[in-house]
Amino acid sequence: MSNLDRIQLLRQFTEEEPENPFNWYALAIEFRETDPEEAYSLFAKLLSDHPSYLATYFPAAHLYAEIGDLEQSKVIFEKGIALAREQKNLKAQQELQNAYQNFLFENDLD
């Protein structure tokens, strides 16, 4: 299945089940390499419409950092870490904290 076919299929899923955050997440991930702007807007939608969908935070924070929106990336990391703690998802919390520390170090932030 080509990237285009997957995108078409995922778009269909978002139309059939707009309330399922996984469909939007999968679409955002699919666009991450080929169309960062589209991925950006899909992640923004997920963060706004489905703030408790933990999987969004890691790739969204990285994408925001890659496109230079460091402040927003920092906020996303922090919200993701707090959400993982709230959901008692230790593995996700540790992954986010490690990535956040690397992000702060690489961008000379504190």
Side-chain angles (χ1 to χ4, degrees):
M1 184 180 278
S2 76
N3 181 273
L4 205 58
D5 290 337
R6 279 196 305 274
I7 287 171
Q8 207 168 0
L9 190 62
L10 290 166
R11 282 217 185 274
Q12 188 182 328
F13 291 159
T14 62
E15 286 165 21
E16 290 167 5
E17 287 185 289
E19 290 311 305
N20 182 343
F22 177 77
N23 295 330
W24 297 103
Y25 172 80
L27 192 58
I29 295 296
E30 202 59 48
F31 275 115
R32 201 160 157 20
E33 298 302 317
T34 58
D35 189 347
E37 282 181 24
E38 181 65 15
Y40 178 92
S41 64
L42 289 164
F43 280 131
K45 177 181 177 47
L46 271 161
L47 291 166
S48 149
D49 296 355
H50 304 281
S52 64
Y53 192 67
L54 186 56
T56 304
Y57 288 82
F58 192 90
H62 280 285
L63 178 64
Y64 278 62
E66 283 167 24
I67 61 176
D69 193 344
L70 300 183
E71 266 316 299
Q72 195 56 35
S73 178
K74 191 175 178 197
V75 168
I76 293 167
F77 270 123
E78 289 167 356
K79 283 184 177 174
I81 291 165
L83 180 64
R85 190 177 302 123
E86 192 182 297
Q87 293 182 358
K88 297 182 180 13
N89 187 330
L90 194 59
K91 185 178 185 297
Q93 185 182 339
Q94 287 174 330
E95 285 175 2
L96 282 162
Q97 281 175 322
N98 290 342
Y100 183 48
Q101 290 305 315
N102 290 337
F103 161 78
L104 292 174
F105 179 75
E106 287 165 11
N107 294 288
D108 202 20
L109 300 170
D110 51 4

